[in-house]
Amino acid sequence: MTRPYAEVIGDPIAHSKSPAIHNFWLDALGIDAEYRKTQVSTEGLGDYFAARGADPAWRGCNITIPHKESALAFVEDRGDVRSSIGAINTVFRDGDATIGTNTDAAGFYAPIADLDLDGQPVVVVGAGGAARAVLFALSRVGAGRVTLLNRSPLKGAALLAKFGLRGDALPLDAALPPAALLVNTSPLGMAGQPPLDLDLSALPDDAVVYDIVYAPLETGLLKAARARDLATVDGLEMLIGQAAAAFELFFDAAPPRERDDALRALLTA
């Protein structure tokens, strides 16, 4: 029998650390399976899911930029993710069916679960699939006004309305308002992408700056936040958190989270 496998798909995909995470857990648990990365174009999504759905060794995939919204068209949506978050980052096999779900929201929120965001102002940069998961989580914890910065403020305004969040949608070069939390959900600052240049002077001293970009791990945004002695959350936190939920769906085993320190050391070596 062919060795079971899961994978991450996206375009580009070379930067992905997901194989290192999942294979670390598979090795630690002694599971005879593997996790790969596969570049898939937007035009090739349909053919990809048709081929993988017919492969009994395939356990599922994680999805990264730019497919988190468009992949919904090719999988079953039993949890009605389309109506709630509107984007998926995980597809898993259930018998002959391929099911889409989203583990990004839980992965995003876990590192800041002790932060009281009830009624607090938040700034979110970006309006793509990851932003949808972040806004969904913020709506569930009662965040206050959300300022969403995006190249298209109109798209940002539509997202705020979708998640029932009060706030403003502004262009990327707009001045930041005071906020308890700033989250970059865009690819800006990622290797090969333009930098994200924000003036953080309006943020209070107890603000938290969270960048979901993890390549590089020390982004320009996080450097600027640390220069102000602001608390920061790097992209590995969300990456590992969402991966843990996906791993259980793929391999029917809980990952050894007690080894997170060793995993972070591997990923940052």
Side-chain angles (χ1 to χ4, degrees):
M1 181 177 176
T2 306
R3 193 182 189 199
Y5 70 97
E7 59 195 334
V8 59
I9 65 169
D11 188 14
I13 200 62
H15 68 282
S16 178
K17 294 183 183 291
S18 292
I21 295 171
H22 286 265
N23 287 320
F24 174 87
W25 288 334
L26 288 169
D27 289 345
L29 295 174
I31 296 174
D32 184 22
E34 64 178 319
Y35 188 100
R36 313 167 177 170
K37 55 186 171 187
T38 301
Q39 185 162 342
V40 178
S41 68
T42 299
E43 297 77 18
L45 268 180
D47 289 342
Y48 167 82
F49 282 112
R52 290 302 194 265
D55 182 355
W58 183 75
R59 296 294 184 87
C61 67
N62 288 116
I63 300 169
T64 188
I65 295 171
H67 304 319
K68 292 188 178 188
E69 296 171 63
S70 52
L72 265 166
F74 304 102
V75 299
E76 289 189 33
D77 183 20
R78 294 180 182 175
D80 198 20
V81 180
R82 184 184 300 278
S83 296
S84 57
I85 297 177
I88 56 175
N89 75 311
T90 301
V91 174
F92 64 97
R93 179 187 291 282
D94 181 15
D96 292 331
T98 51
I99 315 300
T101 190
N102 193 301
T103 65
D104 272 341
F108 157 72
Y109 186 65
I112 57 169
D114 59 350
L115 189 64
D116 183 8
L117 292 174
D118 187 26
Q120 295 297 309
V122 178
V123 175
V124 175
V125 181
R132 287 174 171 269
V134 168
L135 293 171
F136 174 81
L138 293 174
S139 71
R140 291 298 187 269
V141 299
R145 292 188 67 82
V146 175
T147 301
L148 195 150
L149 305 182
N150 192 53
R151 289 191 182 94
S152 168
L154 191 61
K155 183 178 181 181
L159 279 189
L160 291 179
K162 173 180 175 58
F163 293 104
L165 292 163
R166 295 175 295 110
D168 303 288
L170 303 173
L172 280 170
D173 59 359
L176 293 185
L181 174 67
L182 165 65
V183 188
N184 176 37
T185 74
S186 80
L188 294 174
M190 182 186 294
Q193 296 287 335
L196 177 59
D197 293 321
L198 298 176
D199 180 358
L200 305 183
S201 60
L203 298 182
D205 292 342
D206 59 352
V208 176
V209 176
Y210 193 149
D211 197 338
I212 74 166
V213 170
Y214 59 83
L217 190 60
E218 177 77 352
T219 63
L221 176 62
L222 294 185
K223 287 179 183 177
R226 288 170 183 151
R228 274 208 52 204
D229 289 327
L230 299 177
T232 60
V233 181
D234 66 42
L236 284 187
E237 294 283 355
M238 179 171 171
L239 183 68
I240 293 171
Q242 63 80 26
F247 184 89
E248 286 205 53
L249 293 171
F250 299 149
F251 302 112
D252 197 28
R257 296 300 303 275
E258 71 277 4
R259 300 193 61 182
D260 274 9
D261 287 347
L263 176 57
R264 282 189 68 97
L266 171 70
L267 296 173
T268 56

